[in-house]
């Protein structure tokens, strides 16, 4: 789904945003709930659109007290990259861990999730759209993996045409599976999560 780039004129200044924040935050929490797809107990994908990205920009400017136009533009340049281009869907992947003592062990088990064909969108039986991860969020040699990743799905025309009328699932195929719930050394079967109607707007924007 194509999204228009966010410009400086779209960003409320600090004082205007404080007045509008409560209502905007309530609306965006509900919007993100509808656009969130959970796969297993630790993986959550939020499919981004212009509203979700603008909210992140507003929150960043608020937290960092950013008021300078040039610095706001820096934030726009960073966050506009999250918007899907034509024939694409984009999502932020969160590795969610509630137990502080389990943060590093769980992240260690998910090492490599951003490398290779580990995440894809299955459209019917015919099309598997691989997730393309943004680089720089892991270092396998140092054993470091971020808890937040950005992933993009680029749809060929045939998959776009099939999208509206086919079963659509978000699939994760990684040895960690459900974050080590099984002690078996055999590779777990791919973990599927159906994409709800709220997430199923076609990548061509229709």
């Amino acid at each position: 789904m194509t999204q228009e780039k966010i410009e400086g004129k779209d960003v409320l200044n600090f004082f205007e945003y404080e007045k509008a924040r409560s209502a905007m935050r309530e609306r965006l929490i509900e919007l993100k709930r509808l656009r969130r797809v959970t796969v297993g107990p630790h993986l959550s994908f939020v499919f981004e659109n212009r509203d979700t990205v603008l909210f992140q920009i507003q929150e960043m400017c608020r937290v960092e007290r950013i008021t300078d136009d040039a610095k706001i533009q820096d934030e726009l340049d960073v966050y506009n990259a999250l918007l899907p281009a034509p024939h694409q869907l984009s999502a932020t992947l969160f590795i969610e861990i509630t137990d502080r003592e389990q943060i590093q062990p769980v992240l260690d088990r998910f090492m490599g999730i951003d490398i290779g064909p580990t995440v894809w969108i299955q459209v019917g039986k015919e099309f598997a759209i691989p997730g393309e991860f943004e680089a720089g969020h892991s270092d396998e040699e140092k054993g470091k993996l971020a808890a937040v990743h950005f992933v993009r799905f680029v749809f060929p025309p045939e998959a776009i045409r099939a999208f509206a009328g086919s079963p659509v699932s978000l699939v994760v195929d990684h040895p960690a599976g459900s974050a080590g719930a099984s002690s078996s050394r055999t590779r777990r079967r791919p973990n599927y999560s159906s994409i709800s109607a709220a997430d199923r707007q076609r990548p061509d924007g229709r």
Side-chain angles (χ1 to χ4, degrees):
M1 179 181 178
T2 307
Q3 303 282 338
E4 293 184 4
K5 296 292 185 182
I6 299 169
E7 301 177 2
K9 63 181 177 60
D10 301 315
V11 181
L12 298 176
N13 67 46
F14 182 82
F15 299 103
E16 291 175 338
Y17 183 58
E18 283 299 312
K19 295 177 183 178
R21 182 173 182 263
S22 180
M24 184 180 291
R25 184 172 181 272
E26 183 177 347
R27 181 174 68 85
L28 263 295
I29 287 174
E30 176 62 14
L31 177 62
K32 286 191 174 187
R33 185 186 68 81
L34 293 173
R35 300 183 69 85
R36 182 182 298 270
V37 178
T38 301
V39 183
H42 292 292
L43 302 182
S44 182
F45 295 77
V46 175
F47 283 84
E48 304 288 359
N49 69 1
R50 198 172 187 276
D51 287 341
T52 63
V53 173
L54 177 57
F55 179 68
Q56 291 183 65
I57 294 170
Q58 293 280 185
E59 286 293 292
M60 181 59 68
C61 290
R62 177 180 184 268
V63 171
E64 300 293 335
R65 296 294 195 268
I66 299 173
T67 57
D68 180 75
D69 288 344
K71 292 183 178 179
I72 291 174
Q73 185 60 51
D74 289 342
E75 298 299 320
L76 290 172
D77 293 341
V78 170
Y79 283 98
N80 270 323
L82 301 181
L83 292 174
H87 303 165
Q88 296 182 1
L89 292 175
S90 61
T92 301
L93 163 61
F94 299 92
I95 302 176
E96 299 178 330
I97 310 159
T98 56
D99 185 345
R100 292 177 61 88
E101 294 183 358
Q102 289 297 310
I103 291 176
Q104 196 57 52
V106 172
L107 289 177
D108 288 346
R109 289 198 288 271
F110 277 103
M111 185 66 67
I113 194 170
D114 58 334
I115 301 172
T118 59
V119 176
W120 67 89
I121 291 178
Q122 187 72 38
V123 181
K125 295 181 179 180
E126 187 173 357
F127 301 103
I129 314 303
E132 301 175 3
F133 280 79
E134 183 180 63
H137 295 268
S138 67
D139 189 330
E140 197 160 2
E141 290 186 1
K142 296 181 179 179
K144 293 183 178 180
L145 178 71
V148 179
H149 297 263
F150 174 64
V151 58
R152 190 180 300 275
F153 304 89
V154 182
F155 287 72
E158 298 82 2
I160 293 173
R161 287 192 289 270
F163 195 91
S166 303
V168 179
S169 297
L170 181 61
V171 186
V172 175
D173 185 12
H174 185 271
S178 56
S182 171
S183 60
S184 171
R185 292 186 180 181
T186 59
R187 189 172 179 85
R188 297 177 61 85
R189 295 182 64 187
N191 201 337
Y192 290 77
S193 182
S194 295
I195 296 179
S196 69
D199 300 306
R200 284 174 55 93
Q201 186 164 11
R202 284 171 48 163
D204 62 357
R206 296 180 188 175

